[in-house]
């Protein structure tokens, strides 16, 4: 029986926002690596892993489901983003160990491959429609068939500067504000321009990044129908998933 002897965390990237978990065992050279990354709360996840680590020392690495349940039920408040990220990283590391012990990649343990390759998409952006069009053309010429299109950063097309953002009296000062109506106007214009210039050859996509209120997200999906997006990403926040039924119905 292989036992857990330690849990380590490894922060990567220049700003330390990418976190990995390393599960050590009593077998020389045998360890597992898992990703437990939360870009905005990396230190919180790291502390949570260090908190549950003593519960795992001496446990049998083969009891992956039992360890999963032990971590999940160890806290009074459950099923939160931080806790689930902790579980995911440790769970991944334990499967990494199981694959090494079996001498095969984990996907083989889980039933084997179901496809020979996976298509990749490129991320095109530009501060103007012309810049974006040029970026899409560049990726298309490089051989990408699926291209995600953003007008500047995530939410681009919906941000207004301080002079344009007409907030209520005594509102908190800010350099820019996000406006749903501006986004609903500019994003369809963006795809109208791209389809006019590039046709329907490229499979175009877009990431809303949860910027819109649910009823406006439904409206955006309807407005983009004529441009036949390959997919519309992150249209709604996780707590608003019930709105997807309305999106599909309309």
């Amino acid at each position: 029986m292989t036992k857990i002897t330690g849990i380590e965390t490894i922060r990567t990237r220049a700003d330390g926002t990418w976190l990995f978990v390393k599960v050590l065992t009593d077998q020389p050279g045998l360890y597992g690596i898992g990703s437990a990354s939360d870009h905005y709360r990396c230190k919180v996840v790291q502390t949570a892993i260090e908190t549950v680590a003593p519960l795992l020392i001496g446990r049998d690495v083969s009891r992956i489901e039992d360890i999963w349940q032990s971590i999940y039920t160890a806290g009074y408040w459950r099923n939160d983003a931080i806790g689930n990220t902790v579980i995911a990283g440790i769970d991944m590391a334990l499967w990494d160990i199981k694959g090494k012990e079996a001498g095969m990649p984990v996907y083989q343990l889980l039933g084997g491959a179901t496809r020979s390759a996976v298509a990749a998409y490129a991320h095109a952006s530009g501060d103007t429609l012309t810049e974006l069009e040029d970026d899409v053309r560049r990726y298309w010429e490089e051989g990408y068939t699926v291209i995600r299109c953003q007008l500047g950063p995530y939410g681009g097309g919906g941000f207004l500067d301080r002079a344009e953002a007409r907030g209520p009296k005594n509102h908190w000062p800010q350099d820019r504000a996000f406006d749903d109506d501006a986004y609903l106007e500019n994003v369809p214009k963006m795809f109208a321009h791209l389809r006019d210039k590039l046709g329907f050859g490229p499979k175009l996509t877009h990431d809303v990044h949860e910027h819109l209120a649910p009823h406006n997200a439904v409206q955006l999906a309807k407005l983009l129908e004529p441009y036949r997006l390959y997919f519309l990403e992150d249209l709604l926040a996780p707590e608003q998933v019930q709105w997807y039924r309305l999106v599909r119905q309309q």
Side-chain angles (χ1 to χ4, degrees), residues 92-106:
M92 196 183 304
L94 293 174
W95 276 103
D96 186 30
I97 291 171
K98 186 175 286 291
K100 290 174 179 176
E101 288 185 317
M104 62 179 66
V106 173

Side-chain angles (χ1 to χ4, degrees), residues 3-243:
K3 294 184 178 181
I4 297 173
T5 58
I7 308 288
E8 296 179 355
T9 55
I10 306 166
R11 294 180 69 171
T12 63
R13 281 186 171 176
D15 57 0
T17 56
W18 203 263
L19 183 68
F20 290 89
V21 184
K22 186 175 184 179
V23 176
L24 307 174
T25 75
D26 58 2
Q27 301 301 312
L30 180 61
Y31 61 86
I33 297 290
S35 174
S37 295
D38 184 319
H39 182 79
Y40 298 103
R41 296 178 291 184
C42 183
K43 182 62 177 177
V44 178
V45 176
Q46 184 178 33
T47 301
I49 291 171
E50 293 167 352
T51 301
V52 303
L55 302 175
L56 308 183
I57 304 303
R59 300 287 294 272
D60 181 354
V61 297
S62 69
R63 299 181 64 173
I64 298 176
E65 179 64 23
D66 184 39
I67 291 173
W68 194 104
Q69 294 291 342
S70 296
I71 301 172
Y72 182 75
T73 57
Y76 185 77
W77 304 110
R78 303 169 188 169
N79 201 29
D80 62 282
I82 298 299
N84 289 345
T85 303
V86 171
I87 293 173
I90 294 173
D91 191 68
M92 196 183 304
L94 293 174
W95 276 103
D96 186 30
I97 291 171
K98 186 175 286 291
K100 290 174 179 176
E101 288 185 317
M104 62 179 66
V106 173
Y107 78 85
Q108 291 286 11
L109 295 176
L110 299 177
T114 59
R115 53 181 62 86
S116 60
V118 177
Y121 70 79
H123 179 103
S125 64
D127 292 330
T128 67
L129 293 176
T130 301
E131 289 179 1
L132 174 59
E133 178 192 337
D134 290 342
D135 212 27
V136 173
R137 288 185 186 277
R138 176 172 66 88
Y139 283 121
W140 178 251
E141 291 169 0
E142 288 180 7
Y144 288 95
T145 58
V146 181
I147 304 169
R148 185 167 68 179
C149 305
Q150 307 290 143
L151 195 58
Y154 292 120
F159 288 108
L160 303 178
D161 61 31
R162 182 177 295 185
E164 296 176 296
R166 297 174 60 86
K169 185 178 180 180
N170 298 326
H171 72 287
W172 292 339
Q174 51 190 347
D175 292 331
R176 62 177 187 170
F178 185 83
D179 184 81
D180 281 29
D181 290 333
Y183 196 79
L184 289 174
E185 179 179 354
N186 290 318
V187 171
K189 285 182 178 179
M190 176 183 77
F191 281 105
H193 174 87
L194 293 174
R195 286 306 190 198
D196 179 62
K197 299 296 183 181
L198 304 171
F200 285 86
K203 293 179 172 63
L204 303 182
T205 78
H206 181 67
D207 188 350
V208 179
H209 221 61
E210 305 173 14
H211 274 89
L212 294 172
H215 65 286
N216 285 328
V218 175
Q219 180 68 13
L220 178 68
K222 293 167 66 175
L223 291 171
L224 294 179
E225 275 191 293
Y227 310 112
R228 291 171 19 204
L229 269 62
Y230 189 60
F231 61 77
L232 185 59
E233 183 178 352
D234 219 6
L235 180 63
L236 296 161
E239 61 269 21
Q240 297 165 342
V241 294
Q242 68 273 14
W243 283 82

